[in-house]
Amino acid sequence: MPGPDVDLTPTSSSQRFQFITQHKEFLYGYPTANEAGLSKYAVDNETNELVLIDEIPLFNFVFDVVIIDDETGFFTQGAEQSLTVFNPTTMEITGTVDMSNAQSFPENDANSFGAMIYNEQTGKLYLSLFTNNFATAQFYDADATYVEVVDVASRSWEKTIVHNDATYT
């Protein structure tokens, strides 16, 4: 992509520098102070410096972010099975999707949604389950792979897709 480079070497004022997604000219990711939350950044056209535009403070770290349009975005948070709706323009939380019917393994220490994919043609959001028992370290602790389906227009959980023959190599 042609254009000026952004030189981040003169300063080291951040503890974490990771973006999850972008929408238009904005980058969305973790706060640079390595705190829980969702931050919105832009690159200043005159100085080429990264500028914090706004942020949503949270109690947990954000796992994934999908932005549908200027007014609708979704994010998941670590260590919980929640799906939050937000306005990416104003950076305000506008609601949640009831995920209480999603697959969960209460015997495991963690159940969360690791990745999201939006299918614009069907209007569906797909969320992959991550479940983990801390005794097995960072391994996936289920016998199948589970994907939750959410209808974006109604902001409602629809079903769980189960892939019983999933293998890991």
Side-chain angles (χ1 to χ4, degrees):
M1 178 168 148
D5 292 333
V6 177
D7 185 5
L8 300 175
T9 58
T11 62
S12 60
S13 61
S14 64
Q15 296 177 9
R16 185 175 193 170
F17 195 73
Q18 183 176 356
F19 301 113
I20 301 169
T21 194
Q22 62 83 207
H23 178 68
K24 297 190 174 178
E25 69 271 18
F26 301 105
L27 303 165
Y28 297 80
Y30 300 107
T32 56
N34 201 25
E35 299 169 346
L38 176 62
S39 296
K40 176 181 179 179
Y41 300 92
V43 176
D44 184 288
N45 289 333
E46 292 179 17
T47 65
N48 284 336
E49 292 182 358
L50 189 66
V51 178
L52 175 66
I53 304 298
D54 206 347
E55 59 188 357
I56 300 173
L58 301 166
F59 291 110
N60 284 310
F61 286 93
V62 171
F63 263 21
D64 202 3
V65 179
V66 169
I67 297 176
I68 308 301
D69 56 36
D70 289 346
E71 297 176 0
T72 307
F74 296 88
F75 64 82
T76 59
Q77 296 181 64
E80 58 184 67
Q81 283 186 286
S82 67
L83 181 59
T84 304
V85 186
F86 78 106
N87 182 317
T89 300
T90 64
M91 292 295 284
E92 294 176 292
I93 293 176
T94 58
T96 59
V97 176
D98 180 4
M99 299 300 287
S100 59
N101 290 321
Q103 177 67 45
S104 179
F105 293 91
E107 67 275 14
N108 286 344
D109 298 302
N111 289 282
S112 58
F113 303 118
M116 294 189 290
I117 298 172
Y118 174 60
N119 184 325
E120 188 175 356
Q121 294 173 333
T122 63
K124 307 295 183 203
L125 188 62
Y126 300 90
L127 297 84
S128 65
L129 171 71
F130 175 77
T131 185
N132 185 27
N133 181 320
F134 294 158
T136 63
Q138 296 268 341
F139 294 102
Y140 180 80
D141 290 304
D143 293 331
T145 299
Y146 301 88
V147 177
E148 303 302 330
V149 181
V150 171
D151 181 75
V152 169
S154 65
R155 296 183 181 177
S156 61
W157 175 89
E158 284 192 349
K159 64 182 176 182
T160 302
I161 299 171
V162 181
H163 296 281
N164 288 312
D165 297 326
T167 59
Y168 301 91
T169 57

